[in-house]
Amino acid sequence: HGGQRFWYGLLLLALVTAPWLIDEYWLAQLTFILIYGIAGLGLMLLAGFTGQFSIGHAAFLGVGAYTQAVFTGMGVPFPIALALAAGIAAAVGVVVGLPALRVTGIYLAIATIAFGFIVEEGFARWESVTGGNSGMSVKSPNLFGWELGSGAEFYLLCLVITVVATLGILNLLRSSTGRAFVAIRDSEISAQSMGINLARYKTLSFSISAALAGIAGALYAHKLRFISPEQFN
């Protein structure tokens, strides 16, 4: 409604003009808020709207970060590397979502936290790709020849991606898929009796949630310029 448009418009105006209003330190903190906000959108979709419990979500953040670091290090343009980070994280999310078809509640939480430990250990041991515990450096984002080297440029990039992700999730929740997620959260038996495929929608929720975490991880890697396994525990 009109009130929402006014306040969200005012918020967007403040965010767009932030690089000229606040100093570099606070702009960096605001950039981290946007990055964590993208990961939070994914976790909200999974836990808040589908009712699936996950403690190991930092692993998806790590998958996105390392995927981005490896592909940008190979010279792949930033948008393509970002899409690969989201895609690979989503694929891993499908694998993790499979236990959700059999277990719920505290047992699902145990399964996801175990997955998180496994992935963190994998980052540390796969030294030929990740650099192991020594970590690896990450290049600045490169948009087809345009390098985003300054904090303000990277902040605006994160802002655009956060707004697009937020609008995407809002539209998803208004769709039949979003209503199916909510139905599963409220009652799996009732959802199944209405013809909702539990396996399909639970797995889809995990994959979308993981993809958003992967995007956040990719941006996180570019922001820090250096990543190591202990950052994703």
mmCIF file of all heavy atoms in Angstrom, residues 52-89:
data_model
loop_
_atom_site.group_PDB
_atom_site.id
_atom_site.type_symbol
_atom_site.label_atom_id
_atom_site.label_comp_id
_atom_site.label_asym_id
_atom_site.label_seq_id
_atom_site.Cartn_x
_atom_site.Cartn_y
_atom_site.Cartn_z
ATOM 1 N N GLN A 52 11.729 -26.233 7.814
ATOM 2 C CA GLN A 52 12.849 -27.178 7.831
ATOM 3 C C GLN A 52 13.992 -26.581 8.638
ATOM 4 O O GLN A 52 14.373 -25.427 8.416
ATOM 5 C CB GLN A 52 13.306 -27.491 6.404
ATOM 6 C CG GLN A 52 12.213 -28.056 5.515
ATOM 7 C CD GLN A 52 11.644 -29.347 6.063
ATOM 8 O OE1 GLN A 52 12.345 -30.342 6.207
ATOM 9 N NE2 GLN A 52 10.359 -29.333 6.372
ATOM 10 N N PHE A 53 14.553 -27.357 9.534
ATOM 11 C CA PHE A 53 15.556 -26.854 10.470
ATOM 12 C C PHE A 53 16.954 -27.077 9.903
ATOM 13 O O PHE A 53 17.263 -28.166 9.412
ATOM 14 C CB PHE A 53 15.405 -27.597 11.798
ATOM 15 C CG PHE A 53 15.910 -26.823 12.979
ATOM 16 C CD1 PHE A 53 15.457 -25.543 13.227
ATOM 17 C CD2 PHE A 53 16.832 -27.367 13.848
ATOM 18 C CE1 PHE A 53 15.906 -24.821 14.318
ATOM 19 C CE2 PHE A 53 17.290 -26.660 14.940
ATOM 20 C CZ PHE A 53 16.813 -25.382 15.171
ATOM 21 N N SER A 54 17.810 -26.056 9.947
ATOM 22 C CA SER A 54 19.181 -26.194 9.451
ATOM 23 C C SER A 54 20.138 -25.417 10.339
ATOM 24 O O SER A 54 19.967 -24.209 10.535
ATOM 25 C CB SER A 54 19.287 -25.685 8.009
ATOM 26 O OG SER A 54 20.632 -25.692 7.571
ATOM 27 N N ILE A 55 21.133 -26.112 10.855
ATOM 28 C CA ILE A 55 22.188 -25.461 11.643
ATOM 29 C C ILE A 55 23.474 -25.334 10.819
ATOM 30 O O ILE A 55 24.337 -24.541 11.149
ATOM 31 C CB ILE A 55 22.451 -26.252 12.938
ATOM 32 C CG1 ILE A 55 21.186 -26.285 13.788
ATOM 33 C CG2 ILE A 55 23.577 -25.638 13.759
ATOM 34 C CD1 ILE A 55 21.331 -27.041 15.091
ATOM 35 N N GLY A 56 23.574 -26.096 9.743
ATOM 36 C CA GLY A 56 24.818 -26.120 8.964
ATOM 37 C C GLY A 56 24.816 -25.201 7.764
ATOM 38 O O GLY A 56 25.488 -25.465 6.765
ATOM 39 N N HIS A 57 24.066 -24.094 7.843
ATOM 40 C CA HIS A 57 23.937 -23.229 6.673
ATOM 41 C C HIS A 57 25.231 -22.515 6.308
ATOM 42 O O HIS A 57 25.388 -22.074 5.172
ATOM 43 C CB HIS A 57 22.820 -22.215 6.905
ATOM 44 C CG HIS A 57 21.776 -22.245 5.837
ATOM 45 N ND1 HIS A 57 21.046 -23.371 5.546
ATOM 46 C CD2 HIS A 57 21.346 -21.294 4.969
ATOM 47 C CE1 HIS A 57 20.217 -23.111 4.572
ATOM 48 N NE2 HIS A 57 20.389 -21.864 4.186
ATOM 49 N N ALA A 58 26.136 -22.362 7.260
ATOM 50 C CA ALA A 58 27.421 -21.724 6.955
ATOM 51 C C ALA A 58 28.197 -22.511 5.901
ATOM 52 O O ALA A 58 29.026 -21.946 5.180
ATOM 53 C CB ALA A 58 28.247 -21.586 8.221
ATOM 54 N N ALA A 59 27.905 -23.812 5.799
ATOM 55 C CA ALA A 59 28.583 -24.634 4.791
ATOM 56 C C ALA A 59 28.231 -24.175 3.386
ATOM 57 O O ALA A 59 29.092 -24.129 2.499
ATOM 58 C CB ALA A 59 28.202 -26.101 4.981
ATOM 59 N N PHE A 60 26.969 -23.813 3.156
ATOM 60 C CA PHE A 60 26.561 -23.311 1.842
ATOM 61 C C PHE A 60 27.236 -21.975 1.548
ATOM 62 O O PHE A 60 27.600 -21.686 0.414
ATOM 63 C CB PHE A 60 25.040 -23.154 1.784
ATOM 64 C CG PHE A 60 24.279 -24.423 1.992
ATOM 65 C CD1 PHE A 60 23.305 -24.512 2.973
ATOM 66 C CD2 PHE A 60 24.534 -25.539 1.209
ATOM 67 C CE1 PHE A 60 22.598 -25.680 3.175
ATOM 68 C CE2 PHE A 60 23.834 -26.711 1.410
ATOM 69 C CZ PHE A 60 22.866 -26.796 2.382
ATOM 70 N N LEU A 61 27.386 -21.153 2.586
ATOM 71 C CA LEU A 61 28.106 -19.896 2.452
ATOM 72 C C LEU A 61 29.543 -20.176 1.989
ATOM 73 O O LEU A 61 30.074 -19.499 1.109
ATOM 74 C CB LEU A 61 28.110 -19.162 3.791
ATOM 75 C CG LEU A 61 28.199 -17.638 3.787
ATOM 76 C CD1 LEU A 61 26.874 -17.039 3.359
ATOM 77 C CD2 LEU A 61 28.562 -17.125 5.167
ATOM 78 N N GLY A 62 30.155 -21.191 2.594
ATOM 79 C CA GLY A 62 31.517 -21.566 2.228
ATOM 80 C C GLY A 62 31.621 -22.113 0.826
ATOM 81 O O GLY A 62 32.574 -21.807 0.090
ATOM 82 N N VAL A 63 30.658 -22.923 0.421
ATOM 83 C CA VAL A 63 30.654 -23.473 -0.946
ATOM 84 C C VAL A 63 30.601 -22.333 -1.961
ATOM 85 O O VAL A 63 31.344 -22.319 -2.953
ATOM 86 C CB VAL A 63 29.464 -24.431 -1.144
ATOM 87 C CG1 VAL A 63 29.309 -24.799 -2.627
ATOM 88 C CG2 VAL A 63 29.651 -25.697 -0.318
ATOM 89 N N GLY A 64 29.732 -21.353 -1.715
ATOM 90 C CA GLY A 64 29.651 -20.213 -2.617
ATOM 91 C C GLY A 64 30.930 -19.403 -2.637
ATOM 92 O O GLY A 64 31.390 -18.968 -3.702
ATOM 93 N N ALA A 65 31.525 -19.197 -1.457
ATOM 94 C CA ALA A 65 32.745 -18.396 -1.365
ATOM 95 C C ALA A 65 33.903 -19.058 -2.113
ATOM 96 O O ALA A 65 34.610 -18.401 -2.889
ATOM 97 C CB ALA A 65 33.112 -18.181 0.101
ATOM 98 N N TYR A 66 34.099 -20.344 -1.875
ATOM 99 C CA TYR A 66 35.216 -21.033 -2.531
ATOM 100 C C TYR A 66 34.985 -21.193 -4.031
ATOM 101 O O TYR A 66 35.932 -21.102 -4.830
ATOM 102 C CB TYR A 66 35.459 -22.393 -1.880
ATOM 103 C CG TYR A 66 36.347 -22.305 -0.661
ATOM 104 C CD1 TYR A 66 35.814 -22.364 0.626
ATOM 105 C CD2 TYR A 66 37.720 -22.141 -0.791
ATOM 106 C CE1 TYR A 66 36.627 -22.272 1.749
ATOM 107 C CE2 TYR A 66 38.545 -22.043 0.324
ATOM 108 C CZ TYR A 66 37.990 -22.110 1.586
ATOM 109 O OH TYR A 66 38.800 -21.997 2.692
ATOM 110 N N THR A 67 33.745 -21.440 -4.434
ATOM 111 C CA THR A 67 33.440 -21.522 -5.867
ATOM 112 C C THR A 67 33.764 -20.206 -6.552
ATOM 113 O O THR A 67 34.388 -20.180 -7.621
ATOM 114 C CB THR A 67 31.949 -21.866 -6.079
ATOM 115 O OG1 THR A 67 31.649 -23.109 -5.447
ATOM 116 C CG2 THR A 67 31.633 -21.971 -7.561
ATOM 117 N N GLN A 68 33.360 -19.100 -5.936
ATOM 118 C CA GLN A 68 33.632 -17.781 -6.504
ATOM 119 C C GLN A 68 35.132 -17.518 -6.571
ATOM 120 O O GLN A 68 35.641 -17.009 -7.583
ATOM 121 C CB GLN A 68 32.940 -16.708 -5.655
ATOM 122 C CG GLN A 68 32.995 -15.316 -6.240
ATOM 123 C CD GLN A 68 32.009 -15.119 -7.371
ATOM 124 O OE1 GLN A 68 31.177 -15.985 -7.628
ATOM 125 N NE2 GLN A 68 32.091 -13.990 -8.062
ATOM 126 N N ALA A 69 35.833 -17.861 -5.502
ATOM 127 C CA ALA A 69 37.275 -17.615 -5.459
ATOM 128 C C ALA A 69 38.009 -18.412 -6.538
ATOM 129 O O ALA A 69 38.902 -17.883 -7.216
ATOM 130 C CB ALA A 69 37.817 -17.979 -4.080
ATOM 131 N N VAL A 70 37.626 -19.658 -6.710
ATOM 132 C CA VAL A 70 38.307 -20.516 -7.693
ATOM 133 C C VAL A 70 38.045 -20.033 -9.109
ATOM 134 O O VAL A 70 38.973 -19.889 -9.921
ATOM 135 C CB VAL A 70 37.844 -21.984 -7.526
ATOM 136 C CG1 VAL A 70 38.325 -22.831 -8.702
ATOM 137 C CG2 VAL A 70 38.364 -22.560 -6.220
ATOM 138 N N PHE A 71 36.779 -19.738 -9.443
ATOM 139 C CA PHE A 71 36.453 -19.371 -10.821
ATOM 140 C C PHE A 71 36.936 -17.968 -11.185
ATOM 141 O O PHE A 71 37.395 -17.752 -12.307
ATOM 142 C CB PHE A 71 34.949 -19.502 -11.062
ATOM 143 C CG PHE A 71 34.505 -20.927 -11.299
ATOM 144 C CD1 PHE A 71 33.782 -21.611 -10.340
ATOM 145 C CD2 PHE A 71 34.836 -21.578 -12.475
ATOM 146 C CE1 PHE A 71 33.390 -22.918 -10.542
ATOM 147 C CE2 PHE A 71 34.445 -22.893 -12.692
ATOM 148 C CZ PHE A 71 33.722 -23.573 -11.722
ATOM 149 N N THR A 72 36.849 -17.020 -10.255
ATOM 150 C CA THR A 72 37.388 -15.692 -10.569
ATOM 151 C C THR A 72 38.907 -15.749 -10.679
ATOM 152 O O THR A 72 39.504 -15.007 -11.456
ATOM 153 C CB THR A 72 36.974 -14.654 -9.505
ATOM 154 O OG1 THR A 72 37.324 -15.134 -8.198
ATOM 155 C CG2 THR A 72 35.490 -14.381 -9.571
ATOM 156 N N GLY A 73 39.534 -16.646 -9.903
ATOM 157 C CA GLY A 73 40.979 -16.845 -10.021
ATOM 158 C C GLY A 73 41.380 -17.406 -11.373
ATOM 159 O O GLY A 73 42.500 -17.184 -11.840
ATOM 160 N N MET A 74 40.439 -18.127 -12.016
ATOM 161 C CA MET A 74 40.686 -18.678 -13.359
ATOM 162 C C MET A 74 40.370 -17.676 -14.458
ATOM 163 O O MET A 74 40.510 -17.979 -15.645
ATOM 164 C CB MET A 74 39.843 -19.940 -13.559
ATOM 165 C CG MET A 74 40.219 -21.089 -12.648
ATOM 166 S SD MET A 74 38.967 -22.413 -12.622
ATOM 167 C CE MET A 74 38.868 -22.846 -14.354
ATOM 168 N N GLY A 75 39.915 -16.474 -14.063
ATOM 169 C CA GLY A 75 39.615 -15.447 -15.052
ATOM 170 C C GLY A 75 38.180 -15.397 -15.516
ATOM 171 O O GLY A 75 37.843 -14.668 -16.458
ATOM 172 N N VAL A 76 37.296 -16.157 -14.859
ATOM 173 C CA VAL A 76 35.877 -16.154 -15.234
ATOM 174 C C VAL A 76 35.251 -14.825 -14.787
ATOM 175 O O VAL A 76 35.473 -14.391 -13.652
ATOM 176 C CB VAL A 76 35.136 -17.340 -14.568
ATOM 177 C CG1 VAL A 76 33.640 -17.288 -14.865
ATOM 178 C CG2 VAL A 76 35.743 -18.653 -15.045
ATOM 179 N N PRO A 77 34.461 -14.149 -15.642
ATOM 180 C CA PRO A 77 33.828 -12.886 -15.246
ATOM 181 C C PRO A 77 32.941 -13.059 -14.015
ATOM 182 O O PRO A 77 32.358 -14.130 -13.798
ATOM 183 C CB PRO A 77 32.996 -12.507 -16.481
ATOM 184 C CG PRO A 77 33.661 -13.204 -17.617
ATOM 185 C CD PRO A 77 34.195 -14.486 -17.052
ATOM 186 N N PHE A 78 32.826 -11.982 -13.244
ATOM 187 C CA PHE A 78 32.096 -12.028 -11.983
ATOM 188 C C PHE A 78 30.668 -12.567 -12.110
ATOM 189 O O PHE A 78 30.269 -13.445 -11.335
ATOM 190 C CB PHE A 78 32.075 -10.631 -11.355
ATOM 191 C CG PHE A 78 31.164 -10.510 -10.167
ATOM 192 C CD1 PHE A 78 31.564 -10.947 -8.919
ATOM 193 C CD2 PHE A 78 29.888 -9.972 -10.309
ATOM 194 C CE1 PHE A 78 30.713 -10.847 -7.820
ATOM 195 C CE2 PHE A 78 29.043 -9.864 -9.222
ATOM 196 C CZ PHE A 78 29.452 -10.302 -7.978
ATOM 197 N N PRO A 79 29.826 -12.087 -13.062
ATOM 198 C CA PRO A 79 28.444 -12.578 -13.113
ATOM 199 C C PRO A 79 28.349 -14.077 -13.358
ATOM 200 O O PRO A 79 27.500 -14.761 -12.773
ATOM 201 C CB PRO A 79 27.826 -11.792 -14.275
ATOM 202 C CG PRO A 79 28.687 -10.583 -14.433
ATOM 203 C CD PRO A 79 30.066 -11.048 -14.071
ATOM 204 N N ILE A 80 29.242 -14.595 -14.223
ATOM 205 C CA ILE A 80 29.215 -16.037 -14.513
ATOM 206 C C ILE A 80 29.673 -16.825 -13.299
ATOM 207 O O ILE A 80 29.077 -17.847 -12.939
ATOM 208 C CB ILE A 80 30.113 -16.340 -15.741
ATOM 209 C CG1 ILE A 80 29.573 -15.625 -16.978
ATOM 210 C CG2 ILE A 80 30.189 -17.849 -15.988
ATOM 211 C CD1 ILE A 80 30.450 -15.746 -18.199
ATOM 212 N N ALA A 81 30.725 -16.348 -12.635
ATOM 213 C CA ALA A 81 31.208 -17.021 -11.425
ATOM 214 C C ALA A 81 30.144 -17.002 -10.330
ATOM 215 O O ALA A 81 29.959 -17.990 -9.602
ATOM 216 C CB ALA A 81 32.487 -16.350 -10.928
ATOM 217 N N LEU A 82 29.403 -15.886 -10.226
ATOM 218 C CA LEU A 82 28.345 -15.781 -9.226
ATOM 219 C C LEU A 82 27.224 -16.780 -9.512
ATOM 220 O O LEU A 82 26.699 -17.422 -8.593
ATOM 221 C CB LEU A 82 27.786 -14.356 -9.204
ATOM 222 C CG LEU A 82 26.796 -14.032 -8.087
ATOM 223 C CD1 LEU A 82 27.493 -14.069 -6.730
ATOM 224 C CD2 LEU A 82 26.166 -12.656 -8.304
ATOM 225 N N ALA A 83 26.870 -16.920 -10.790
ATOM 226 C CA ALA A 83 25.845 -17.900 -11.174
ATOM 227 C C ALA A 83 26.316 -19.323 -10.868
ATOM 228 O O ALA A 83 25.526 -20.165 -10.401
ATOM 229 C CB ALA A 83 25.518 -17.756 -12.660
ATOM 230 N N LEU A 84 27.592 -19.600 -11.097
ATOM 231 C CA LEU A 84 28.140 -20.922 -10.786
ATOM 232 C C LEU A 84 28.149 -21.166 -9.279
ATOM 233 O O LEU A 84 27.852 -22.281 -8.825
ATOM 234 C CB LEU A 84 29.559 -21.038 -11.351
ATOM 235 C CG LEU A 84 29.675 -21.124 -12.875
ATOM 236 C CD1 LEU A 84 31.128 -20.980 -13.311
ATOM 237 C CD2 LEU A 84 29.110 -22.456 -13.383
ATOM 238 N N ALA A 85 28.474 -20.134 -8.506
ATOM 239 C CA ALA A 85 28.466 -20.265 -7.045
ATOM 240 C C ALA A 85 27.066 -20.600 -6.548
ATOM 241 O O ALA A 85 26.885 -21.475 -5.686
ATOM 242 C CB ALA A 85 28.969 -18.974 -6.399
ATOM 243 N N ALA A 86 26.065 -19.907 -7.093
ATOM 244 C CA ALA A 86 24.677 -20.183 -6.700
ATOM 245 C C ALA A 86 24.255 -21.580 -7.145
ATOM 246 O O ALA A 86 23.603 -22.310 -6.384
ATOM 247 C CB ALA A 86 23.756 -19.127 -7.313
ATOM 248 N N GLY A 87 24.629 -21.959 -8.366
ATOM 249 C CA GLY A 87 24.232 -23.263 -8.898
ATOM 250 C C GLY A 87 24.848 -24.422 -8.145
ATOM 251 O O GLY A 87 24.159 -25.411 -7.823
ATOM 252 N N ILE A 88 26.150 -24.323 -7.844
ATOM 253 C CA ILE A 88 26.823 -25.410 -7.127
ATOM 254 C C ILE A 88 26.302 -25.503 -5.696
ATOM 255 O O ILE A 88 26.070 -26.594 -5.168
ATOM 256 C CB ILE A 88 28.351 -25.211 -7.163
ATOM 257 C CG1 ILE A 88 28.857 -25.385 -8.598
ATOM 258 C CG2 ILE A 88 29.054 -26.191 -6.222
ATOM 259 C CD1 ILE A 88 30.323 -25.097 -8.784
ATOM 260 N N ALA A 89 26.082 -24.359 -5.054
ATOM 261 C CA ALA A 89 25.513 -24.366 -3.699
ATOM 262 C C ALA A 89 24.115 -24.974 -3.711
ATOM 263 O O ALA A 89 23.745 -25.734 -2.801
ATOM 264 C CB ALA A 89 25.476 -22.952 -3.142
#
